[in-house]
Amino acid sequence: MTVETARLTLRPFTLGDTDALFALMSRPEVARWSGRGVPMVDRQEAVDRIERMPVRRGDHPAADVFAVVPHEVEAPVGMAVLVPIPASEGFGRDAHEIGWHLHPDVWGRGYATEAATALVERAFASGIPEVYAVTNPDNVRSQAVCRRLGMTDLGLRSDWYDRELRAFRLDRP
Ligand SMILES: CC(C)(COP(=O)(O)OP(=O)(O)OC[C@H]1O[C@@H](n2cnc3c(N)ncnc32)[C@H](O)[C@@H]1OP(=O)(O)O)[C@@H](O)C(=O)NCCC(=O)NCCS
């Protein structure tokens, strides 16, 4: 399942993307905003991440972890996700999140917003009623993407990932 935008192809990762994913997630300025905030140091971590993606994508047919590939290149420059959002302990509600990670070499081109716009359309077209995005409270670049998408700022919320994050929501029109 591939998604085309004006400048990008969004497609599932394969093990052939291991070096590109490692190049992305070994960058401290990218890794600091996700998960434990620790950059990858070993290429095997990228292999493991790709192998876990089918689990991360969940059951919904529209959901996936997408490689972001500009039309003029072959290797991914980033990752965009439409995946189930893990509820915090005691917050057991099913929902989906969108997310984005780009290699710093391609920040400032609008790729994250372009990819996420396509994933939002895909989510709503497939019956998902609302999408969330959760950001580290200090991650102003990611919060700017949420605003460009027209998402509503929910403020600091602890509903997901067992920690306090700045959350955004977009409802199906
Ligand atoms: C968050 C992240 C994806 C944002 O990337 P980004 O390039 O700033 O965001 P966009 O793709 O929306 O690009 C918007 C910028 O491109 C510019 N731009 C240039 N050409 C453009 C075009 N054709 N269309 C739209 N915007 C364009 C915009 O003016 C804007 O610039 P600004 O930052 O100076 O205001 C990136 O910083 C990143 O990967 N960070 C590390 C990982 C991370 O934090 N992930 C999120 C975890 S919650």
Side-chain angles (χ1 to χ4, degrees):
M1 55 167 98
T2 296
V3 179
E4 294 291 342
T5 72
R7 295 179 294 173
L8 307 168
T9 299
L10 312 181
R11 57 153 179 83
F13 277 88
T14 72
L15 286 174
D17 302 318
T18 299
D19 289 339
L21 184 63
F22 182 65
L24 176 69
M25 298 309 294
S26 59
R27 292 289 289 250
E29 64 271 60
V30 175
R32 67 178 288 210
W33 302 117
S34 69
R36 290 177 301 121
V38 179
M40 288 184 181
V41 292
D42 184 338
R43 188 177 178 280
Q44 182 62 37
E45 294 176 76
V47 173
D48 295 344
R49 177 75 70 92
I50 291 169
E51 289 181 340
R52 282 198 308 272
M53 286 176 183
V55 177
R56 182 72 183 100
R57 70 178 293 279
D59 297 330
H60 197 286
D64 216 333
V65 178
F66 294 91
V68 176
V69 191
H71 289 158
E72 67 277 13
V73 301
E74 283 180 21
V77 299
M79 174 165 64
V81 303
L82 170 63
V83 289
I85 183 168
S88 295
E89 182 87 33
F91 289 84
R93 193 163 162 277
D94 286 343
H96 282 81
E97 67 171 314
I98 49 174
W100 34 77
H101 289 79
L102 294 176
H103 194 284
D105 288 354
V106 300
W107 291 5
R109 298 186 191 180
Y111 285 172
T113 299
E114 186 168 320
T117 299
L119 294 188
V120 164
E121 288 171 4
R122 178 182 175 83
F124 293 159
S126 71
I128 292 174
E130 65 202 5
V131 292
Y132 292 86
V134 288
T135 67
N136 181 300
D138 297 327
N139 193 350
V140 292
R141 287 197 81 106
S142 189
Q143 289 155 13
V145 177
C146 295
R147 293 198 182 90
R148 282 190 281 272
L149 293 169
M151 302 185 87
T152 301
D153 187 346
L154 304 177
L156 295 177
R157 299 274 295 260
S158 301
D159 306 39
W160 302 284
Y161 288 100
D162 290 311
R163 59 189 139 121
E164 191 172 71
L165 296 164
R166 188 156 186 168
F168 294 79
R169 187 185 72 230
L170 191 63
D171 295 318
R172 188 170 53 195

